Amino acid sequence: MLENLFKKTFYADDPRKVIQEDVILRLMFELAVSDGSLDKEELVMLKERALEISKNHKKISSVIKQAISGAEKSTSLYPTVQIINASYTGEQKKDLLGMLWRLVAVDGIIDHNEESLYFKIAELIRVKRSHANQIKQENS
């Protein structure tokens, strides 16, 4: 099920758009640092994701640096959300939210800022709050 979520690749001439492989990692990074820090457990999850998407034996650290750089340069999640809304099915969006909630909960502390951003992402990718809550419960 999750395999299909990560197989799509989009290439864009527009530099504001991100390549599909980085969409999930970028959202994960944004969520992980929304509480003001990047915990060890969150970093482990980011590294695992980077390992999954690294192609051509690219160093994991360079994949993560690319996601961090993209997040720092951007002032909006809109390009990322636009790609998700244009290409993900409802089931893929739910899988994505499940992964994001596991990231929120990985350190054992549910920070208000992380939880708020989780629900904001759900809203932006057009998943009802009731479904986002259900996904949250299933992945806690």
Side-chain angles (χ1 to χ4, degrees):
M1 178 180 349
L2 287 176
E3 291 174 15
N4 293 332
L5 181 65
F6 305 121
K7 284 186 181 177
K8 295 182 181 181
T9 304
F10 294 86
Y11 300 95
D13 295 329
D14 183 348
R16 292 175 298 149
K17 291 188 178 181
V18 291
I19 295 175
Q20 179 69 21
E21 294 173 341
D22 298 326
V23 170
I24 295 168
L25 186 59
R26 171 137 183 243
L27 284 178
M28 290 176 73
F29 176 75
E30 293 279 353
L31 192 61
V33 298
S34 66
D35 65 352
S37 67
L38 182 61
D39 298 325
K40 181 179 176 183
E41 296 88 355
E42 293 169 334
L43 184 58
V44 168
M45 283 189 74
L46 289 171
K47 286 181 179 178
E48 288 171 358
R49 174 67 191 143
L51 182 60
E52 288 175 21
I53 66 170
S54 64
K55 301 214 185 227
N56 302 326
H57 306 292
K58 200 172 174 183
K59 285 187 176 181
I60 295 172
S61 60
S62 65
V63 173
I64 292 175
K65 285 179 187 176
Q66 183 180 4
I68 292 169
S69 175
E72 288 175 342
K73 290 177 184 175
S74 177
T75 58
S76 172
L77 289 176
Y78 180 73
T80 305
V81 168
Q82 186 178 22
I83 290 172
I84 292 168
N85 285 333
S87 61
Y88 279 42
T89 66
E91 194 61 36
Q92 289 172 318
K93 290 177 182 181
K94 289 177 184 178
D95 291 342
L96 172 60
L97 286 175
M99 178 185 298
L100 293 177
W101 185 257
R102 286 189 297 279
L103 180 66
V104 169
V106 72
D107 59 2
I109 301 168
I110 307 301
D111 181 80
H112 174 71
N113 293 321
E114 290 175 326
E115 186 174 31
S116 293
L117 184 55
Y118 167 80
F119 283 114
K120 184 63 175 178
I121 291 169
E123 178 185 332
L124 291 171
I125 64 172
R126 301 180 189 131
V127 173
K128 292 181 181 180
R129 189 172 183 97
S130 60
H131 290 137
N133 267 320
Q134 182 181 1
I135 293 165
K136 174 183 161 182
Q137 296 304 315
E138 291 170 356
N139 290 280
S140 288

PDB file of all heavy atoms in Angstrom, residues 29-62:
ATOM      1  N   PHE A  29       9.936  17.019   7.601  1.00  0.00           N
ATOM      2  CA  PHE A  29      10.859  17.961   8.216  1.00  0.00           C
ATOM      3  C   PHE A  29      10.114  19.153   8.810  1.00  0.00           C
ATOM      4  O   PHE A  29      10.370  19.548   9.949  1.00  0.00           O
ATOM      5  CB  PHE A  29      11.908  18.434   7.208  1.00  0.00           C
ATOM      6  CG  PHE A  29      12.827  19.466   7.774  1.00  0.00           C
ATOM      7  CD1 PHE A  29      13.826  19.116   8.660  1.00  0.00           C
ATOM      8  CD2 PHE A  29      12.666  20.804   7.460  1.00  0.00           C
ATOM      9  CE1 PHE A  29      14.658  20.072   9.228  1.00  0.00           C
ATOM     10  CE2 PHE A  29      13.492  21.772   8.008  1.00  0.00           C
ATOM     11  CZ  PHE A  29      14.492  21.409   8.885  1.00  0.00           C
ATOM     12  N   GLU A  30       9.196  19.713   8.035  1.00  0.00           N
ATOM     13  CA  GLU A  30       8.409  20.856   8.522  1.00  0.00           C
ATOM     14  C   GLU A  30       7.687  20.502   9.821  1.00  0.00           C
ATOM     15  O   GLU A  30       7.659  21.285  10.767  1.00  0.00           O
ATOM     16  CB  GLU A  30       7.384  21.299   7.475  1.00  0.00           C
ATOM     17  CG  GLU A  30       7.976  21.894   6.226  1.00  0.00           C
ATOM     18  CD  GLU A  30       8.378  23.350   6.371  1.00  0.00           C
ATOM     19  OE1 GLU A  30       8.099  23.972   7.406  1.00  0.00           O
ATOM     20  OE2 GLU A  30       8.981  23.865   5.415  1.00  0.00           O
ATOM     21  N   LEU A  31       7.120  19.318   9.854  1.00  0.00           N
ATOM     22  CA  LEU A  31       6.387  18.874  11.035  1.00  0.00           C
ATOM     23  C   LEU A  31       7.334  18.636  12.215  1.00  0.00           C
ATOM     24  O   LEU A  31       7.040  19.033  13.343  1.00  0.00           O
ATOM     25  CB  LEU A  31       5.614  17.593  10.695  1.00  0.00           C
ATOM     26  CG  LEU A  31       4.575  17.139  11.685  1.00  0.00           C
ATOM     27  CD1 LEU A  31       3.490  18.184  11.857  1.00  0.00           C
ATOM     28  CD2 LEU A  31       3.951  15.836  11.199  1.00  0.00           C
ATOM     29  N   ALA A  32       8.477  18.019  11.935  1.00  0.00           N
ATOM     30  CA  ALA A  32       9.426  17.695  13.006  1.00  0.00           C
ATOM     31  C   ALA A  32       9.966  18.935  13.702  1.00  0.00           C
ATOM     32  O   ALA A  32      10.174  18.923  14.919  1.00  0.00           O
ATOM     33  CB  ALA A  32      10.569  16.855  12.452  1.00  0.00           C
ATOM     34  N   VAL A  33      10.183  20.004  12.965  1.00  0.00           N
ATOM     35  CA  VAL A  33      10.770  21.197  13.571  1.00  0.00           C
ATOM     36  C   VAL A  33       9.730  22.216  14.023  1.00  0.00           C
ATOM     37  O   VAL A  33      10.087  23.265  14.566  1.00  0.00           O
ATOM     38  CB  VAL A  33      11.798  21.885  12.639  1.00  0.00           C
ATOM     39  CG1 VAL A  33      12.952  20.953  12.346  1.00  0.00           C
ATOM     40  CG2 VAL A  33      11.144  22.400  11.379  1.00  0.00           C
ATOM     41  N   SER A  34       8.461  21.912  13.829  1.00  0.00           N
ATOM     42  CA  SER A  34       7.417  22.881  14.197  1.00  0.00           C
ATOM     43  C   SER A  34       7.344  23.138  15.698  1.00  0.00           C
ATOM     44  O   SER A  34       6.787  24.139  16.125  1.00  0.00           O
ATOM     45  CB  SER A  34       6.055  22.438  13.665  1.00  0.00           C
ATOM     46  OG  SER A  34       5.627  21.247  14.291  1.00  0.00           O
ATOM     47  N   ASP A  35       7.920  22.253  16.504  1.00  0.00           N
ATOM     48  CA  ASP A  35       7.945  22.485  17.949  1.00  0.00           C
ATOM     49  C   ASP A  35       9.209  23.209  18.393  1.00  0.00           C
ATOM     50  O   ASP A  35       9.443  23.413  19.581  1.00  0.00           O
ATOM     51  CB  ASP A  35       7.789  21.162  18.712  1.00  0.00           C
ATOM     52  CG  ASP A  35       8.941  20.196  18.497  1.00  0.00           C
ATOM     53  OD1 ASP A  35       9.805  20.472  17.635  1.00  0.00           O
ATOM     54  OD2 ASP A  35       8.975  19.159  19.177  1.00  0.00           O
ATOM     55  N   GLY A  36      10.043  23.596  17.433  1.00  0.00           N
ATOM     56  CA  GLY A  36      11.248  24.358  17.758  1.00  0.00           C
ATOM     57  C   GLY A  36      12.502  23.530  17.906  1.00  0.00           C
ATOM     58  O   GLY A  36      13.575  24.077  18.129  1.00  0.00           O
ATOM     59  N   SER A  37      12.380  22.209  17.777  1.00  0.00           N
ATOM     60  CA  SER A  37      13.570  21.372  17.886  1.00  0.00           C
ATOM     61  C   SER A  37      13.393  20.121  17.030  1.00  0.00           C
ATOM     62  O   SER A  37      12.280  19.751  16.669  1.00  0.00           O
ATOM     63  CB  SER A  37      13.827  20.972  19.342  1.00  0.00           C
ATOM     64  OG  SER A  37      12.801  20.126  19.802  1.00  0.00           O
ATOM     65  N   LEU A  38      14.511  19.494  16.731  1.00  0.00           N
ATOM     66  CA  LEU A  38      14.509  18.244  15.990  1.00  0.00           C
ATOM     67  C   LEU A  38      15.043  17.170  16.929  1.00  0.00           C
ATOM     68  O   LEU A  38      16.234  17.131  17.234  1.00  0.00           O
ATOM     69  CB  LEU A  38      15.378  18.362  14.741  1.00  0.00           C
ATOM     70  CG  LEU A  38      15.444  17.154  13.824  1.00  0.00           C
ATOM     71  CD1 LEU A  38      14.058  16.815  13.273  1.00  0.00           C
ATOM     72  CD2 LEU A  38      16.400  17.412  12.670  1.00  0.00           C
ATOM     73  N   ASP A  39      14.141  16.335  17.434  1.00  0.00           N
ATOM     74  CA  ASP A  39      14.518  15.303  18.395  1.00  0.00           C
ATOM     75  C   ASP A  39      15.229  14.141  17.710  1.00  0.00           C
ATOM     76  O   ASP A  39      15.089  13.930  16.504  1.00  0.00           O
ATOM     77  CB  ASP A  39      13.274  14.771  19.117  1.00  0.00           C
ATOM     78  CG  ASP A  39      12.565  15.846  19.904  1.00  0.00           C
ATOM     79  OD1 ASP A  39      13.243  16.727  20.461  1.00  0.00           O
ATOM     80  OD2 ASP A  39      11.325  15.809  19.967  1.00  0.00           O
ATOM     81  N   LYS A  40      15.966  13.382  18.500  1.00  0.00           N
ATOM     82  CA  LYS A  40      16.725  12.247  17.986  1.00  0.00           C
ATOM     83  C   LYS A  40      15.811  11.251  17.266  1.00  0.00           C
ATOM     84  O   LYS A  40      16.136  10.771  16.184  1.00  0.00           O
ATOM     85  CB  LYS A  40      17.461  11.564  19.143  1.00  0.00           C
ATOM     86  CG  LYS A  40      18.306  10.397  18.740  1.00  0.00           C
ATOM     87  CD  LYS A  40      19.011   9.786  19.937  1.00  0.00           C
ATOM     88  CE  LYS A  40      19.789   8.553  19.526  1.00  0.00           C
ATOM     89  NZ  LYS A  40      20.431   7.907  20.672  1.00  0.00           N
ATOM     90  N   GLU A  41      14.675  10.949  17.864  1.00  0.00           N
ATOM     91  CA  GLU A  41      13.746   9.987  17.274  1.00  0.00           C
ATOM     92  C   GLU A  41      13.189  10.494  15.943  1.00  0.00           C
ATOM     93  O   GLU A  41      12.997   9.727  15.002  1.00  0.00           O
ATOM     94  CB  GLU A  41      12.589   9.678  18.235  1.00  0.00           C
ATOM     95  CG  GLU A  41      12.996   9.011  19.524  1.00  0.00           C
ATOM     96  CD  GLU A  41      13.365  10.015  20.625  1.00  0.00           C
ATOM     97  OE1 GLU A  41      13.405  11.243  20.357  1.00  0.00           O
ATOM     98  OE2 GLU A  41      13.639   9.577  21.750  1.00  0.00           O
ATOM     99  N   GLU A  42      12.933  11.793  15.881  1.00  0.00           N
ATOM    100  CA  GLU A  42      12.436  12.391  14.635  1.00  0.00           C
ATOM    101  C   GLU A  42      13.504  12.328  13.552  1.00  0.00           C
ATOM    102  O   GLU A  42      13.212  12.014  12.391  1.00  0.00           O
ATOM    103  CB  GLU A  42      12.003  13.842  14.879  1.00  0.00           C
ATOM    104  CG  GLU A  42      10.789  13.962  15.771  1.00  0.00           C
ATOM    105  CD  GLU A  42      10.524  15.379  16.234  1.00  0.00           C
ATOM    106  OE1 GLU A  42      11.465  16.199  16.305  1.00  0.00           O
ATOM    107  OE2 GLU A  42       9.345  15.667  16.539  1.00  0.00           O
ATOM    108  N   LEU A  43      14.746  12.586  13.934  1.00  0.00           N
ATOM    109  CA  LEU A  43      15.846  12.524  12.981  1.00  0.00           C
ATOM    110  C   LEU A  43      16.006  11.111  12.429  1.00  0.00           C
ATOM    111  O   LEU A  43      16.261  10.927  11.241  1.00  0.00           O
ATOM    112  CB  LEU A  43      17.144  13.001  13.630  1.00  0.00           C
ATOM    113  CG  LEU A  43      18.359  13.076  12.714  1.00  0.00           C
ATOM    114  CD1 LEU A  43      18.094  13.999  11.512  1.00  0.00           C
ATOM    115  CD2 LEU A  43      19.582  13.552  13.488  1.00  0.00           C
ATOM    116  N   VAL A  44      15.825  10.115  13.275  1.00  0.00           N
ATOM    117  CA  VAL A  44      15.900   8.724  12.822  1.00  0.00           C
ATOM    118  C   VAL A  44      14.837   8.456  11.755  1.00  0.00           C
ATOM    119  O   VAL A  44      15.122   7.846  10.717  1.00  0.00           O
ATOM    120  CB  VAL A  44      15.754   7.738  14.011  1.00  0.00           C
ATOM    121  CG1 VAL A  44      15.531   6.310  13.528  1.00  0.00           C
ATOM    122  CG2 VAL A  44      16.977   7.812  14.912  1.00  0.00           C
ATOM    123  N   MET A  45      13.615   8.937  11.986  1.00  0.00           N
ATOM    124  CA  MET A  45      12.549   8.753  10.994  1.00  0.00           C
ATOM    125  C   MET A  45      12.866   9.495   9.701  1.00  0.00           C
ATOM    126  O   MET A  45      12.595   8.979   8.605  1.00  0.00           O
ATOM    127  CB  MET A  45      11.192   9.200  11.547  1.00  0.00           C
ATOM    128  CG  MET A  45      10.572   8.205  12.500  1.00  0.00           C
ATOM    129  SD  MET A  45       8.866   8.631  12.939  1.00  0.00           S
ATOM    130  CE  MET A  45       7.995   8.204  11.431  1.00  0.00           C
ATOM    131  N   LEU A  46      13.422  10.682   9.795  1.00  0.00           N
ATOM    132  CA  LEU A  46      13.803  11.435   8.599  1.00  0.00           C
ATOM    133  C   LEU A  46      14.887  10.686   7.816  1.00  0.00           C
ATOM    134  O   LEU A  46      14.842  10.610   6.588  1.00  0.00           O
ATOM    135  CB  LEU A  46      14.288  12.834   8.968  1.00  0.00           C
ATOM    136  CG  LEU A  46      13.229  13.810   9.467  1.00  0.00           C
ATOM    137  CD1 LEU A  46      13.877  15.077  10.009  1.00  0.00           C
ATOM    138  CD2 LEU A  46      12.250  14.153   8.367  1.00  0.00           C
ATOM    139  N   LYS A  47      15.843  10.124   8.544  1.00  0.00           N
ATOM    140  CA  LYS A  47      16.904   9.360   7.886  1.00  0.00           C
ATOM    141  C   LYS A  47      16.345   8.105   7.211  1.00  0.00           C
ATOM    142  O   LYS A  47      16.769   7.758   6.103  1.00  0.00           O
ATOM    143  CB  LYS A  47      17.991   8.970   8.897  1.00  0.00           C
ATOM    144  CG  LYS A  47      18.871  10.128   9.297  1.00  0.00           C
ATOM    145  CD  LYS A  47      19.933   9.679  10.283  1.00  0.00           C
ATOM    146  CE  LYS A  47      20.841  10.820  10.679  1.00  0.00           C
ATOM    147  NZ  LYS A  47      21.846  10.402  11.664  1.00  0.00           N
ATOM    148  N   GLU A  48      15.405   7.444   7.873  1.00  0.00           N
ATOM    149  CA  GLU A  48      14.785   6.262   7.268  1.00  0.00           C
ATOM    150  C   GLU A  48      14.070   6.633   5.975  1.00  0.00           C
ATOM    151  O   GLU A  48      14.167   5.925   4.974  1.00  0.00           O
ATOM    152  CB  GLU A  48      13.808   5.608   8.245  1.00  0.00           C
ATOM    153  CG  GLU A  48      14.478   4.897   9.390  1.00  0.00           C
ATOM    154  CD  GLU A  48      13.506   4.427  10.470  1.00  0.00           C
ATOM    155  OE1 GLU A  48      12.292   4.687  10.353  1.00  0.00           O
ATOM    156  OE2 GLU A  48      13.985   3.819  11.445  1.00  0.00           O
ATOM    157  N   ARG A  49      13.351   7.745   5.998  1.00  0.00           N
ATOM    158  CA  ARG A  49      12.657   8.207   4.798  1.00  0.00           C
ATOM    159  C   ARG A  49      13.650   8.584   3.702  1.00  0.00           C
ATOM    160  O   ARG A  49      13.474   8.249   2.537  1.00  0.00           O
ATOM    161  CB  ARG A  49      11.748   9.397   5.133  1.00  0.00           C
ATOM    162  CG  ARG A  49      11.106  10.008   3.935  1.00  0.00           C
ATOM    163  CD  ARG A  49      10.106   9.068   3.280  1.00  0.00           C
ATOM    164  NE  ARG A  49       9.732   9.628   2.001  1.00  0.00           N
ATOM    165  CZ  ARG A  49       9.495   8.921   0.920  1.00  0.00           C
ATOM    166  NH1 ARG A  49       9.555   7.622   0.964  1.00  0.00           N
ATOM    167  NH2 ARG A  49       9.183   9.502  -0.212  1.00  0.00           N
ATOM    168  N   ALA A  50      14.723   9.270   4.069  1.00  0.00           N
ATOM    169  CA  ALA A  50      15.745   9.659   3.099  1.00  0.00           C
ATOM    170  C   ALA A  50      16.377   8.419   2.468  1.00  0.00           C
ATOM    171  O   ALA A  50      16.645   8.399   1.263  1.00  0.00           O
ATOM    172  CB  ALA A  50      16.804  10.533   3.762  1.00  0.00           C
ATOM    173  N   LEU A  51      16.586   7.396   3.271  1.00  0.00           N
ATOM    174  CA  LEU A  51      17.150   6.149   2.750  1.00  0.00           C
ATOM    175  C   LEU A  51      16.200   5.513   1.736  1.00  0.00           C
ATOM    176  O   LEU A  51      16.629   5.003   0.702  1.00  0.00           O
ATOM    177  CB  LEU A  51      17.435   5.179   3.902  1.00  0.00           C
ATOM    178  CG  LEU A  51      18.077   3.853   3.536  1.00  0.00           C
ATOM    179  CD1 LEU A  51      19.429   4.072   2.877  1.00  0.00           C
ATOM    180  CD2 LEU A  51      18.234   2.977   4.771  1.00  0.00           C
ATOM    181  N   GLU A  52      14.896   5.559   2.018  1.00  0.00           N
ATOM    182  CA  GLU A  52      13.903   4.996   1.104  1.00  0.00           C
ATOM    183  C   GLU A  52      13.906   5.703  -0.242  1.00  0.00           C
ATOM    184  O   GLU A  52      13.686   5.073  -1.271  1.00  0.00           O
ATOM    185  CB  GLU A  52      12.501   5.104   1.705  1.00  0.00           C
ATOM    186  CG  GLU A  52      12.230   4.174   2.852  1.00  0.00           C
ATOM    187  CD  GLU A  52      10.863   4.416   3.470  1.00  0.00           C
ATOM    188  OE1 GLU A  52       9.989   4.997   2.796  1.00  0.00           O
ATOM    189  OE2 GLU A  52      10.668   4.028   4.628  1.00  0.00           O
ATOM    190  N   ILE A  53      14.109   7.006  -0.246  1.00  0.00           N
ATOM    191  CA  ILE A  53      13.985   7.758  -1.493  1.00  0.00           C
ATOM    192  C   ILE A  53      15.311   8.036  -2.179  1.00  0.00           C
ATOM    193  O   ILE A  53      15.315   8.505  -3.310  1.00  0.00           O
ATOM    194  CB  ILE A  53      13.250   9.102  -1.284  1.00  0.00           C
ATOM    195  CG1 ILE A  53      14.065  10.037  -0.414  1.00  0.00           C
ATOM    196  CG2 ILE A  53      11.863   8.889  -0.761  1.00  0.00           C
ATOM    197  CD1 ILE A  53      13.525  11.438  -0.376  1.00  0.00           C
ATOM    198  N   SER A  54      16.424   7.760  -1.505  1.00  0.00           N
ATOM    199  CA  SER A  54      17.708   8.082  -2.125  1.00  0.00           C
ATOM    200  C   SER A  54      17.942   7.152  -3.302  1.00  0.00           C
ATOM    201  O   SER A  54      17.820   5.944  -3.205  1.00  0.00           O
ATOM    202  CB  SER A  54      18.855   7.992  -1.114  1.00  0.00           C
ATOM    203  OG  SER A  54      18.994   6.675  -0.662  1.00  0.00           O
ATOM    204  N   LYS A  55      18.212   7.763  -4.422  1.00  0.00           N
ATOM    205  CA  LYS A  55      18.460   7.014  -5.650  1.00  0.00           C
ATOM    206  C   LYS A  55      19.910   7.221  -6.048  1.00  0.00           C
ATOM    207  O   LYS A  55      20.555   8.170  -5.650  1.00  0.00           O
ATOM    208  CB  LYS A  55      17.536   7.505  -6.749  1.00  0.00           C
ATOM    209  CG  LYS A  55      16.083   7.346  -6.362  1.00  0.00           C
ATOM    210  CD  LYS A  55      15.260   7.024  -7.546  1.00  0.00           C
ATOM    211  CE  LYS A  55      13.816   7.002  -7.086  1.00  0.00           C
ATOM    212  NZ  LYS A  55      13.062   5.945  -7.489  1.00  0.00           N
ATOM    213  N   ASN A  56      20.401   6.312  -6.847  1.00  0.00           N
ATOM    214  CA  ASN A  56      21.775   6.398  -7.337  1.00  0.00           C
ATOM    215  C   ASN A  56      22.773   6.470  -6.186  1.00  0.00           C
ATOM    216  O   ASN A  56      23.790   7.131  -6.280  1.00  0.00           O
ATOM    217  CB  ASN A  56      21.958   7.609  -8.256  1.00  0.00           C
ATOM    218  CG  ASN A  56      21.017   7.560  -9.428  1.00  0.00           C
ATOM    219  OD1 ASN A  56      20.703   6.476  -9.929  1.00  0.00           O
ATOM    220  ND2 ASN A  56      20.545   8.707  -9.856  1.00  0.00           N
ATOM    221  N   HIS A  57      22.435   5.801  -5.101  1.00  0.00           N
ATOM    222  CA  HIS A  57      23.318   5.723  -3.935  1.00  0.00           C
ATOM    223  C   HIS A  57      23.736   7.099  -3.421  1.00  0.00           C
ATOM    224  O   HIS A  57      24.850   7.302  -2.948  1.00  0.00           O
ATOM    225  CB  HIS A  57      24.540   4.864  -4.248  1.00  0.00           C
ATOM    226  CG  HIS A  57      24.178   3.509  -4.752  1.00  0.00           C
ATOM    227  ND1 HIS A  57      23.581   2.566  -3.959  1.00  0.00           N
ATOM    228  CD2 HIS A  57      24.274   2.964  -5.981  1.00  0.00           C
ATOM    229  CE1 HIS A  57      23.343   1.485  -4.676  1.00  0.00           C
ATOM    230  NE2 HIS A  57      23.756   1.696  -5.915  1.00  0.00           N
ATOM    231  N   LYS A  58      22.828   8.028  -3.541  1.00  0.00           N
ATOM    232  CA  LYS A  58      23.048   9.374  -3.041  1.00  0.00           C
ATOM    233  C   LYS A  58      23.150   9.308  -1.518  1.00  0.00           C
ATOM    234  O   LYS A  58      22.429   8.553  -0.878  1.00  0.00           O
ATOM    235  CB  LYS A  58      21.848  10.232  -3.458  1.00  0.00           C
ATOM    236  CG  LYS A  58      22.058  11.692  -3.471  1.00  0.00           C
ATOM    237  CD  LYS A  58      20.829  12.324  -4.100  1.00  0.00           C
ATOM    238  CE  LYS A  58      20.872  13.812  -4.024  1.00  0.00           C
ATOM    239  NZ  LYS A  58      19.660  14.413  -4.555  1.00  0.00           N
ATOM    240  N   LYS A  59      24.017  10.078  -0.951  1.00  0.00           N
ATOM    241  CA  LYS A  59      24.172  10.081   0.499  1.00  0.00           C
ATOM    242  C   LYS A  59      22.887  10.552   1.165  1.00  0.00           C
ATOM    243  O   LYS A  59      22.261  11.511   0.722  1.00  0.00           O
ATOM    244  CB  LYS A  59      25.313  10.998   0.920  1.00  0.00           C
ATOM    245  CG  LYS A  59      26.673  10.445   0.655  1.00  0.00           C
ATOM    246  CD  LYS A  59      27.703  11.372   1.263  1.00  0.00           C
ATOM    247  CE  LYS A  59      29.085  10.800   1.093  1.00  0.00           C
ATOM    248  NZ  LYS A  59      30.100  11.656   1.687  1.00  0.00           N
ATOM    249  N   ILE A  60      22.526   9.874   2.233  1.00  0.00           N
ATOM    250  CA  ILE A  60      21.326  10.234   2.986  1.00  0.00           C
ATOM    251  C   ILE A  60      21.433  11.657   3.497  1.00  0.00           C
ATOM    252  O   ILE A  60      20.472  12.422   3.451  1.00  0.00           O
ATOM    253  CB  ILE A  60      21.100   9.257   4.159  1.00  0.00           C
ATOM    254  CG1 ILE A  60      20.821   7.862   3.619  1.00  0.00           C
ATOM    255  CG2 ILE A  60      19.959   9.722   5.044  1.00  0.00           C
ATOM    256  CD1 ILE A  60      20.768   6.807   4.683  1.00  0.00           C
ATOM    257  N   SER A  61      22.607  12.036   3.955  1.00  0.00           N
ATOM    258  CA  SER A  61      22.780  13.390   4.489  1.00  0.00           C
ATOM    259  C   SER A  61      22.504  14.444   3.424  1.00  0.00           C
ATOM    260  O   SER A  61      21.923  15.484   3.718  1.00  0.00           O
ATOM    261  CB  SER A  61      24.185  13.570   5.059  1.00  0.00           C
ATOM    262  OG  SER A  61      25.161  13.366   4.062  1.00  0.00           O
ATOM    263  N   SER A  62      22.864  14.175   2.176  1.00  0.00           N
ATOM    264  CA  SER A  62      22.612  15.167   1.133  1.00  0.00           C
ATOM    265  C   SER A  62      21.126  15.241   0.788  1.00  0.00           C
ATOM    266  O   SER A  62      20.612  16.308   0.468  1.00  0.00           O
ATOM    267  CB  SER A  62      23.440  14.882  -0.122  1.00  0.00           C
ATOM    268  OG  SER A  62      23.063  13.672  -0.722  1.00  0.00           O
TER     269      SER A  62
END
